[in-house]
Amino acid sequence: MAICMLPPPSIRYHSFNKTRISRKLVVRGVVYEEGRLERPNWAGETPVSRLVGALISFKPLFSLLKLGARQVLISTAEKSNVPWRDMTKEILESGVYKEMGSVENPSVVYPDYYLNPFHAYDEGNLSWLAAAEAEAATLSIAKRAIPEASTITEANEIVRGNWLNVIEKHHYQYSGNLKIRDILDVGCSVGFSTRCLADKFPSAKLTGLDLSPYFLAVAKYKEKKNPPRTNPFQWIHANGESTGLDSQSFDIVSIAYVFHECPQKATINLVKEAFRLLRPGGTFAVTDNSPKSKKLQELSPVLFTLMKSTEPFLDEYYLLDLEKAVKDAGFVNVQTTLTDPRHVTLTATVPY
Ligand SMILES: C[S@@+](CC[C@H](N)C(=O)[O-])C[C@H]1O[C@@H](n2cnc3c(N)ncnc32)[C@H](O)[C@@H]1O
């Protein structure tokens, strides 16, 4: 997929004062700086965050917020030329349903957090509608991060390209001798991130793992629609906290845009499982919302309230010290890079 193949825009780091390193990012000549706070004041244990929590817990208002959030998502995507409704219709009217039998693992036990209403879907990620809309939602994440991009493709090239370049640089800096043969994409959703990783590291064998068999069915359906690959993907329906896969069987484990959807306990388990699955010298990469993002810290009250109504674990995400959790699991060379104005990529190594 050509979307992830462009060279990176420049990324620069500046120290504003002695106590806090602040990162700057230059994309197509526009300078982005981090915000003043450690995390947005609408997240965590602040009075604003508590007020939003109280509003959301009021059931009739929650239903209205959910509807509003969904409308905002669809209309923002379509204004950015992501044909949300057409993409969804194409999947729902396809033969995707036939893929379910070959991807679903009936012995999977879903963790409680996964059974919450989520992203404005009553069944969370366990529904055909959520699966059919996932790629449109994924594409519009990039345009929200880089609204100045002239097209959705350009926005995705920047967001995904920076993420992949940081992984590549980290691996060659700390593990250059470890050939990249096997890559695991935990929380692969409908396979967009898996395809990006495969295009960046073409000689590697890619495994996409997710808890939603609906999403995996879409991933498999999309793979079949594309020309066959030399290294076909493997799709696994499992909990990333405890995959049942062999220890030390991957050179890179990537977890993209998953942690903001998880309670802290699950995040810590996902980090520990990644450590177990990586070979010595292997690279771990997490990309997700940046707590220090100026853009996220300056979201309007309407937007952050709508967002929090569909993302039940945002407060836990923003309160977790992810670098510490990764170091505690045994990783070394832990680094966090601002890869676009809204997101950071954390990379780390399993010691030899
Ligand atoms: C926003 S999507 C990820 C998108 C994708 N990685 C990308 O970069 O486009 C988050 C995914 O994490 C999955 N997920 C959440 N908890 C999980 C777990 N414990 N194990 C495996 N997948 C999980 C969800 O089913 C969902 O597909």
Side-chain angles (χ1 to χ4, degrees):
M1 188 177 46
I3 220 163
C4 306
M5 301 303 285
L6 277 198
S10 51
I11 303 173
R12 296 195 196 120
Y13 309 94
H14 292 257
S15 176
F16 280 177
N17 56 44
K18 286 196 171 60
T19 51
R20 180 172 168 206
I21 301 291
S22 190
R23 301 176 183 91
K24 261 190 189 177
L25 170 75
V26 185
V27 180
R28 302 281 192 270
V30 180
V31 180
Y32 297 97
E33 285 174 18
E34 290 186 325
R36 286 179 303 109
L37 307 171
E38 285 303 304
R39 66 182 70 84
N41 74 351
W42 46 260
E45 285 161 349
T46 62
V48 181
S49 177
R50 283 201 204 101
L51 176 65
V52 176
L55 289 175
I56 293 170
S57 64
F58 181 57
K59 280 261 156 31
L61 191 59
F62 173 69
S63 307
L64 276 178
L65 286 170
K66 231 174 46 176
L67 273 179
R70 195 171 152 69
Q71 285 320 314
V72 168
L73 270 181
I74 298 176
S75 66
T76 321
E78 292 193 337
K79 271 188 216 140
S80 313
N81 293 326
V82 176
W84 181 295
R85 281 170 290 190
D86 291 344
M87 286 173 78
T88 304
K89 186 165 178 275
E90 194 246 285
I91 298 284
L92 290 177
E93 292 178 358
S94 72
V96 68
Y97 309 97
K98 287 191 242 139
E99 306 298 339
M100 184 58 119
S102 65
V103 289
E104 187 173 27
N105 173 0
S107 63
V108 164
V109 178
Y110 295 102
D112 286 347
Y113 80 87
Y114 201 74
L115 301 170
N116 278 302
F118 192 74
H119 282 172
Y121 304 107
D122 289 340
E123 303 87 6
N125 288 329
L126 296 171
S127 82
W128 284 114
L129 183 61
E133 294 187 330
E135 186 136 329
T138 299
L139 288 173
S140 36
I141 290 177
K143 191 71 166 82
R144 281 205 299 276
I146 321 266
E148 303 77 10
S150 48
T151 61
I152 202 80
T153 308
E154 187 194 0
N156 273 285
E157 281 167 357
I158 296 169
V159 171
R160 298 291 181 164
N162 281 0
W163 159 64
L164 292 165
N165 283 319
V166 165
I167 299 177
E168 181 183 45
K169 186 166 168 248
H170 186 104
H171 191 83
Y172 288 114
Q173 180 168 356
Y174 296 107
S175 321
N177 294 333
L178 182 69
K179 197 166 172 274
I180 303 171
R181 287 171 293 159
D182 301 286
I183 301 179
L184 176 65
D185 182 20
V186 176
C188 65
S189 176
V190 294
F192 189 86
S193 45
T194 323
R195 297 196 302 274
C196 288
L197 287 158
D199 288 342
K200 179 76 179 177
F201 304 104
S203 55
K205 181 170 184 336
L206 258 295
T207 302
L209 179 145
D210 205 279
L211 255 176
S212 170
Y214 300 86
F215 285 18
L216 291 168
V218 172
K220 200 161 177 190
Y221 163 77
K222 282 177 174 287
E223 186 189 1
K224 281 191 180 164
K225 271 188 34 178
N226 286 325
R229 291 184 169 266
T230 332
N231 280 333
F233 297 124
Q234 186 183 14
W235 302 111
I236 296 183
H237 179 211
N239 185 346
E241 297 175 69
S242 166
T243 59
L245 299 173
D246 289 345
S247 296
Q248 302 192 353
S249 49
F250 294 93
D251 307 298
I252 293 178
V253 172
S254 168
I255 306 189
Y257 306 108
V258 177
F259 287 172
H260 73 278
E261 299 188 357
C262 295
Q264 288 187 1
K265 189 167 164 280
T267 299
I268 289 167
N269 289 339
L270 286 160
V271 172
K272 288 183 180 162
E273 181 68 351
F275 186 84
R276 185 186 73 78
L277 292 172
L278 279 161
R279 299 186 173 115
T283 298
F284 180 44
V286 176
T287 196
D288 216 312
N289 294 348
S290 165
K292 292 180 185 165
S293 158
K294 190 163 188 271
K295 285 201 167 201
L296 291 175
Q297 291 184 6
E298 291 178 353
L299 275 185
S300 73
V302 172
L303 280 183
F304 67 65
T305 304
L306 288 177
M307 188 165 76
K308 289 188 88 171
S309 72
T310 68
E311 303 270 12
F313 300 107
L314 274 186
D315 286 336
E316 291 201 36
Y317 171 76
Y318 282 110
L319 285 172
L320 180 70
D321 182 344
L322 186 59
E323 285 202 354
K324 181 175 180 308
V326 169
K327 285 176 191 160
D328 288 350
F331 287 99
V332 294
N333 307 326
V334 181
Q335 298 181 346
T336 303
T337 308
L338 182 68
T339 37
D340 69 61
R342 283 184 176 228
H343 303 113
V344 276
T345 299
L346 176 150
T347 46
T349 314
V350 171
Y352 284 99

